[in-house]
Amino acid sequence: MPHRKTYLGCPFCNIASGNEKDVILLYNDSKICAFQDPKPDSENHIVILSKVHIPDYNCLTEVDIELLEHMQNIGGKLLDQIVEPDTPTKMGFLPKSLSRVNHLHMHCLTLPLTCGWMRSLLYKPLVFFESEDLIGEVKESCYNL
């Protein structure tokens, strides 16, 4: 498959491979890594990215379901470590056309958002793809459930 490697020009591939010295990883394993967003849209804004270069969620296949579930699981755990119980959170993906980097990554945020109203539109329904919904969509398209 064409998206199963890393790309030298991709900033997220550089982070995932450990070549970006200015980024402190909050989490790192063989499949994903996580770091604080350098331009946060909320008080707590974590980015989780895959270690393999997947351009966006439109390129996901059956083999990526486990990766998405892992990203969601780790995102929830990381947020639980830094916020009070019952703090509203949001986890999901932006469309490729509205993303800063064309490499699959999940945003994990606490609410309320602290960005301007225009940027906050990115996290509204019909734009922001909640992680649970994306996992369901990929499963449905792969297994015809």
Side-chain angles (χ1 to χ4, degrees), residues 12 24-27 32-49 71 74-83 89-92 105-110 123 128:
F12 282 177
I24 298 169
L25 297 181
L26 304 173
Y27 181 86
I32 64 172
C33 63
F35 58 95
Q36 289 284 352
D37 192 307
K39 296 180 180 179
D41 292 328
S42 72
E43 185 177 336
N44 299 288
H45 186 167
I46 298 168
V47 176
I48 299 181
L49 52 105
M71 292 172 83
I74 295 302
K77 287 180 180 181
L78 289 172
L79 286 174
D80 286 346
Q81 291 174 4
I82 59 175
V83 300
T89 61
K90 189 178 249 322
M91 292 193 304
H105 61 284
M106 183 174 74
H107 294 269
C108 305
L109 308 106
T110 53
Y123 299 101
F128 191 71

Side-chain angles (χ1 to χ4, degrees), residues 76-131:
K77 287 180 180 181
L78 289 172
L79 286 174
D80 286 346
Q81 291 174 4
I82 59 175
V83 300
E84 297 294 320
D86 299 324
T87 300
T89 61
K90 189 178 249 322
M91 292 193 304
F93 302 83
L94 292 171
K96 182 178 182 177
S97 60
L98 298 173
S99 182
R100 293 179 183 146
V101 180
N102 292 330
H103 181 119
L104 183 71
H105 61 284
M106 183 174 74
H107 294 269
C108 305
L109 308 106
T110 53
L111 299 176
L113 297 173
T114 57
C115 55
W117 71 270
M118 203 128 151
R119 179 131 178 99
S120 71
L121 296 175
L122 295 176
Y123 299 101
K124 299 290 184 195
L126 302 177
V127 177
F128 191 71
F129 214 146
E130 299 279 345
S131 60

Side-chain angles (χ1 to χ4, degrees), residues 2-23:
H3 67 269
R4 296 294 174 229
K5 56 185 177 180
T6 59
Y7 292 96
L8 292 176
C10 174
F12 282 177
C13 284
N14 288 337
I15 292 170
S17 64
N19 293 332
E20 186 60 52
K21 304 300 182 228
D22 295 333
V23 176

Side-chain angles (χ1 to χ4, degrees), residues 72 91-93 129-137:
Q72 181 181 11
M91 292 193 304
F93 302 83
F129 214 146
E130 299 279 345
S131 60
E132 286 183 20
D133 294 339
L134 180 60
I135 292 168
E137 289 285 327

